[in-house]
């Protein structure tokens, strides 16, 4: 009984002093209007655009094994696949500078087309579609500068 109480007190102390970290995807969640979970507002808005354009898609439905320059295998999960096509879409936002799985995918799977939606591309899509699409969500859109690599829609 005494050791059990010591363990309980230890857990209480560790929880009280533990640093609380930000969730990895703070804007993730189920979106009623698109009918599925997404990791970000940007992903939700791109899905809304595809619905508006009557382009059926699947969300995070295909996994691909890619290898880095050292031969280390990783799994790449593109954000969206346009159904009935060989087109995948990766939505990178402002945080993608450290991740290159999408580049490895484009290199190692040339039979597929990969559209990258970075900050500049997203801003262009936002200008074009925001007023046309109900439930558009762009709260806290920060003005980062990220090099545009492609336009998809």
């Amino acid at each position: 009984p005494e050791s059990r109480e010591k363990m309980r007190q230890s857990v209480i102390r560790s929880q009280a002093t533990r640093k609380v970290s930000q969730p990895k995807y703070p804007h993730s969640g189920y979106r009623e209007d698109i009918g599925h979970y997404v990791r970000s507002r940007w992903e939700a808005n791109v899905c809304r655009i595809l619905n508006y354009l009557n382009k059926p898609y699947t969300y995070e439905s295909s996994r691909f094994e890619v290898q880095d320059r050292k031969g280390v295998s990783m799994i790449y999960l593109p954000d969206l696949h346009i159904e009935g096509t060989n087109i995948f879409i990766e939505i990178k936002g402002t945080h993608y500078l450290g991740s290159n799985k999408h580049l490895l995918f484009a290199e190692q799977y040339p039979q597929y087309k990969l559209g990258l939606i970075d900050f500049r591309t997203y801003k262009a899509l936002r200008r074009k579609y925001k007023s046309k699409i109900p439930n558009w969500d762009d709260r806290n859109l920060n003005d980062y500068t990220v090099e545009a690599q492609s336009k998809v829609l």
Side-chain angles (χ1 to χ4, degrees):
E2 186 178 325
S3 63
R4 188 175 270 175
E5 179 59 23
K6 281 184 180 181
M7 285 177 27
R8 190 177 80 75
Q9 291 300 323
S10 175
V11 168
I12 290 170
R13 275 192 307 279
S14 73
Q15 288 176 345
T17 59
R18 182 175 46 167
K19 290 183 180 178
V20 178
S21 62
Q22 288 284 11
K24 186 170 183 181
Y25 303 106
H27 303 293
S28 64
Y30 183 85
R31 304 302 203 274
E32 291 287 333
D33 62 315
I34 59 175
H36 62 82
Y37 169 91
V38 289
R39 296 179 194 273
S40 72
R41 294 173 180 158
W42 286 24
E43 288 181 355
N45 288 336
V46 171
C47 292
R48 290 176 180 116
I49 291 170
L50 292 172
N51 286 338
Y52 176 81
L53 296 173
N54 294 312
K55 300 273 187 194
Y57 66 89
T58 55
Y59 177 78
E60 292 189 347
S61 61
S62 302
R63 295 175 187 272
F64 296 89
E65 184 176 345
V66 295
Q67 291 189 349
D68 68 9
R69 304 284 181 253
K70 297 177 182 176
V72 175
S73 291
M74 299 173 268
I75 299 298
Y76 172 62
L77 182 65
D79 294 321
L80 300 165
H81 175 238
I82 308 298
E83 291 181 7
T85 74
N86 66 343
I87 299 171
F88 289 89
I89 297 175
E90 183 66 30
I91 302 159
K92 287 313 236 181
T94 58
H95 63 278
Y96 81 89
L97 296 175
S99 174
N100 66 355
K101 286 184 190 178
H102 64 288
L103 299 174
L104 296 171
F105 169 80
E107 194 177 278
Q108 295 170 24
Y109 292 89
Q111 68 271 32
Y112 298 111
K113 293 180 182 175
L114 182 66
L116 176 66
I117 297 181
D118 60 10
F119 186 75
R120 189 172 292 165
T121 304
Y122 181 79
K123 278 179 65 173
L125 292 171
R126 178 180 175 267
R127 276 191 301 275
K128 184 172 182 177
Y129 292 105
K130 179 183 176 183
S131 64
K132 299 174 184 178
I133 295 177
N135 300 315
W136 187 274
D137 184 0
D138 67 350
R139 293 169 286 159
N140 301 324
L141 181 64
N142 295 315
D143 192 19
Y144 294 99
T145 306
V146 177
E147 188 69 26
Q149 293 186 7
S150 70
K151 259 190 165 173
V152 204
L153 304 173

